């Protein structure tokens, strides 16, 4: 599913136009991004938690240059799935393989 399909699906589910659905999705993602930039975690019940992880400055191998380099300290976004989502996806995979749940 791509963004356009998600927008269509949300619009149908909520009974709103595609334009309204697109604005809703963009506003939600923008708010999550802004909160992560400020260092806040965002938890969506039954889905998971968007957060950031900080990696210290470290020395590592750079294959392009075939040498070692010093990589700077950086902060990256991370996502941890919620237990309900994890269980739902796990159950679906078991059903598809024909394994009784």
């Amino acid at each position: 599913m791509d963004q356009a399909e998600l927008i269509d699906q949300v619009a149908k589910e909520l009974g709103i136009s595609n334009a309204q659905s697109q604005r809703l999705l963009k506003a939600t993602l923008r708010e999550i991004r802004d909160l992560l930039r400020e260092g806040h975690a965002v938890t969506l019940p039954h889905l998971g938690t968007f957060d950031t992880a900080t990696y210290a400055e470290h020395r590592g191998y750079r294959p392009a240059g075939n040498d070692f380099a010093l990589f700077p300290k950086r902060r990256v976004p991370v996502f941890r799935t919620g237990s309900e989502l994890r269980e739902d996806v796990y159950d679906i995979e078991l059903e598809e393989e024909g394994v009784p749940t």
Side-chain angles (χ1 to χ4, degrees), residues 38-85:
E38 294 172 7
H40 301 287
V42 179
T43 300
L44 301 174
H46 311 295
L47 182 66
T49 301
F50 294 92
D51 203 354
T52 57
T54 303
Y55 293 99
E57 181 178 67
H58 65 281
R59 185 172 175 253
Y61 182 70
R62 185 172 44 191
N66 198 25
D67 62 348
F68 288 89
L70 189 61
F71 293 96
K73 177 180 178 179
R74 67 182 194 267
R75 191 172 60 154
V76 297
V78 294
F79 178 75
R80 291 185 307 275
T81 58
S83 59
E84 189 168 320
L85 174 64

Side-chain angles (χ1 to χ4, degrees), residues 29-45:
L29 296 177
R30 187 179 322 109
E31 190 62 29
I32 291 171
R33 183 194 65 218
D34 291 347
L35 288 167
L36 290 175
R37 281 183 177 168
E38 294 172 7
H40 301 287
V42 179
T43 300
L44 301 174

Side-chain angles (χ1 to χ4, degrees), residues 80-97:
R80 291 185 307 275
T81 58
S83 59
E84 189 168 320
L85 174 64
R86 195 172 24 245
E87 290 170 5
D88 287 347
V89 171
Y90 181 73
D91 290 344
I92 289 171
E93 289 175 356
L94 289 177
E95 289 171 3
E96 288 175 355
E97 294 174 6

Side-chain angles (χ1 to χ4, degrees), residues 14-27:
L14 298 177
I16 59 177
S17 71
N18 281 5
Q20 290 172 316
S21 177
Q22 183 177 19
R23 284 195 306 270
L24 176 67
L25 177 62
K26 285 185 177 186

